[in-house]
Amino acid sequence: MSKDNSNFFKKKNEWSVIKDRLLGCYLTPYFQKVLRTGKPICYVDCFAGKGMFEDGTEGSPLIALRIRENCLKITKIRNKQGAIKTRFIELNHASDLSANITLAHSSYDEPVVIPGAYEENIEALLRRERGNNVFLYIDPYGIKALDAALFHKFKTMGFNSFEMLINFNSFGFFRDACRVLDVDYRTDEALQGLDDLVEYEPTLVSADKQSEDLLTAIAGGDYWKAIVLDYKTGKLDGYQAEQRLSTEYKQHLKKDYGYVLDMPVRLKAGQRPKYRMIHVCDHEDGCFLMAQNMQKRKDELFISIQQDNQISIFDVAPDYSSTAEGELLTRDQIAEMVSECLNTYSEEVSITKFVAAFVNQYGLVCEFKMIYDILTEMQSEKMVMIRRSPPYTTSNRPSAFWEENKDHSVYIRRVSQ
């Protein structure tokens, strides 16, 4: 039986708050940085909803419009009209959305609501944006809309830059995969408590070829079947199966895109992660910016929405089976990762590109400061060279900054042993 979603917009739920905080904290630096390319930005909320909840809380469309307005006010771009275009696709609540976004004052390009299904409108919309910068926020009503073939098509459209932030209900996908292949999961703690994650549409329930094909289309391959089989035979528990599924899903995305960063998110304090937010881009600046955004705003983002306010909802520790069942990585282990990542470069590399490559490979396993401290130690041991420009401060002291901008650059290079 499908879930009754008639009350979905009564009050903004906890995980919607989490997702929209992540989006909102990223959009400000994203808009500011990408506007410097001189090309327009097209921001698309692919499953926009009503724009506002009945309790008066902003939904993702109003959050994006408010941030766009603020960014354009402070930018020095002369022609601000059309500099950031906003498009909102909504199948079920387009009229409510249109009414609610009128509450967001727009001094520049008027937002456009596109009534209808994302999969029926997105290609035509994006074809008009070739040569521009595009950002898609994909927070679907269930898993069925995550068609991997569309993600592949986006890659071929010729944008100046392209990024996606995707809500991937990985545990829900795996639960449905078990259903479709008739594998019992009902006693597995990992796959319980997911009903609230199913927003508008029910998940798959039938064990037939059509459902198998749909899951394969979502995943971008049938690798999920082998994972379910290993789960059925006891080689994997539910958490290990979900992690392997997520890893292979990211590997599929990396066939087309250079950087894929995922953030496991848990619904309540003390729980294991229940879904993943996945950021996809093709440039190290985008990956670094998203990872940096998460690090800088951890006090804001990682605080529990639960009343106890004790346990972080965002899981920035290593994925729970990357070490022995949830063990945190030691500093020595992270130092080894830094060394391994450095070994992939035969010449010097910018710190932005290096950190982006590090989180792309290992995830958000530590603070950036730990990476920088490890590199500083490696420099003192003459294992790496660190070159900064400018090399000295205005007071003629050696520069020690790590963050790059138009006036500062940092390069690192492994010293041959």
Side-chain angles (χ1 to χ4, degrees), residues 2-3 67 73 82 95 142 166 168 170 225 246 248 263-264 279 320 378 415:
S2 64
K3 181 186 173 186
I67 292 171
K73 280 180 181 177
S95 59
I166 305 165
F168 180 48
S170 49
K225 295 181 180 179
S246 297
E248 296 202 30
M263 289 141 280
H279 178 250
Y320 25 84
M378 294 176 74
V415 175

Side-chain angles (χ1 to χ4, degrees), residues 65-290:
L65 288 171
R66 173 171 48 80
I67 292 171
R68 180 190 73 159
E69 192 80 4
N70 292 339
C71 287
L72 288 174
K73 280 180 181 177
I74 65 174
T75 186
K76 296 180 180 179
I77 295 174
R78 292 181 180 178
N79 184 14
K80 298 179 182 181
Q81 192 72 25
I84 305 176
K85 297 180 277 187
T86 49
R87 305 292 182 258
F88 302 103
I89 303 174
E90 175 53 37
L91 175 62
N92 300 312
H93 305 285
S95 59
D96 289 325
L97 175 61
S98 295
N100 284 329
I101 64 174
T102 60
L103 301 173
H105 175 67
S106 178
S107 305
Y108 309 106
D109 187 59
E110 287 297 324
V112 175
V113 174
I114 302 169
Y118 146 80
E119 59 270 23
E120 295 174 1
N121 288 277
I122 190 63
E123 290 184 74
L125 188 163
L126 293 186
R127 277 195 291 270
R128 296 190 290 271
E129 301 301 329
R130 286 174 173 157
N132 293 336
N133 303 292
V134 172
F135 186 99
L136 303 187
Y137 181 43
I138 304 177
D139 183 17
Y141 310 145
I143 61 173
K144 291 196 273 186
L146 296 181
D147 184 351
L150 275 177
F151 296 161
H152 175 71
K153 285 184 181 179
F154 299 158
K155 174 67 177 181
T156 66
M157 288 187 171
F159 305 115
N160 188 58
S161 72
F162 181 77
E163 299 189 25
M164 297 186 288
L165 182 61
I166 305 165
N167 173 18
F168 180 48
N169 184 349
S170 49
F171 282 94
F173 181 102
F174 188 71
R175 183 181 63 178
D176 287 346
C178 289
R179 286 176 176 170
V180 166
L181 295 186
D182 199 23
V183 172
D184 187 11
Y185 63 88
R186 290 171 295 177
T187 60
D188 193 323
E189 183 265 344
L191 302 176
Q192 307 307 310
L194 302 178
D195 288 345
D196 286 338
L197 281 176
V198 181
E199 297 181 348
Y200 295 117
E201 297 187 38
T203 49
L204 306 167
V205 294
S206 59
D208 57 28
K209 181 63 176 174
Q210 185 176 4
S211 293
E212 286 189 32
D213 290 344
L214 180 55
L215 285 172
T216 297
I218 294 167
D222 63 359
Y223 54 84
W224 60 272
K225 295 181 180 179
I227 301 172
V228 174
L229 179 60
D230 284 348
Y231 173 75
K232 180 180 180 180
T233 58
K235 294 179 181 178
L236 304 170
D237 63 25
Y239 291 111
Q240 292 167 333
E242 182 276 339
Q243 190 194 10
R244 183 168 140 194
L245 170 68
S246 297
T247 297
E248 296 202 30
Y249 183 69
K250 288 181 290 183
Q251 288 303 120
H252 173 76
L253 289 171
K254 286 179 182 179
K255 292 178 181 178
D256 286 321
Y257 299 96
Y259 296 93
V260 181
L261 178 65
D262 92 288
M263 289 141 280
V265 182
R266 48 185 178 237
L267 299 182
K268 295 182 180 179
Q271 287 186 344
R272 301 231 191 181
K274 289 297 185 184
Y275 68 93
R276 295 175 185 261
M277 298 297 292
I278 298 178
H279 178 250
V280 176
C281 67
D282 254 337
H283 197 279
E284 62 265 20
D285 285 349
C287 180
F288 181 91
L289 189 62
M290 175 59 84

Side-chain angles (χ1 to χ4, degrees), residues 243 262-266 273 276 294-295 302 312-323 326-329 334 337 362-367:
Q243 190 194 10
D262 92 288
M263 289 141 280
V265 182
R266 48 185 178 237
R276 295 175 185 261
M294 293 288 296
Q295 300 284 8
F302 299 169
S312 164
I313 285 185
F314 279 93
D315 185 7
V316 290
D319 281 347
Y320 25 84
S321 59
S322 61
T323 60
E327 275 187 344
L328 295 178
L329 292 172
I334 293 172
M337 292 175 176
Y362 300 111
L364 293 169
V365 296
C366 66
E367 299 278 352

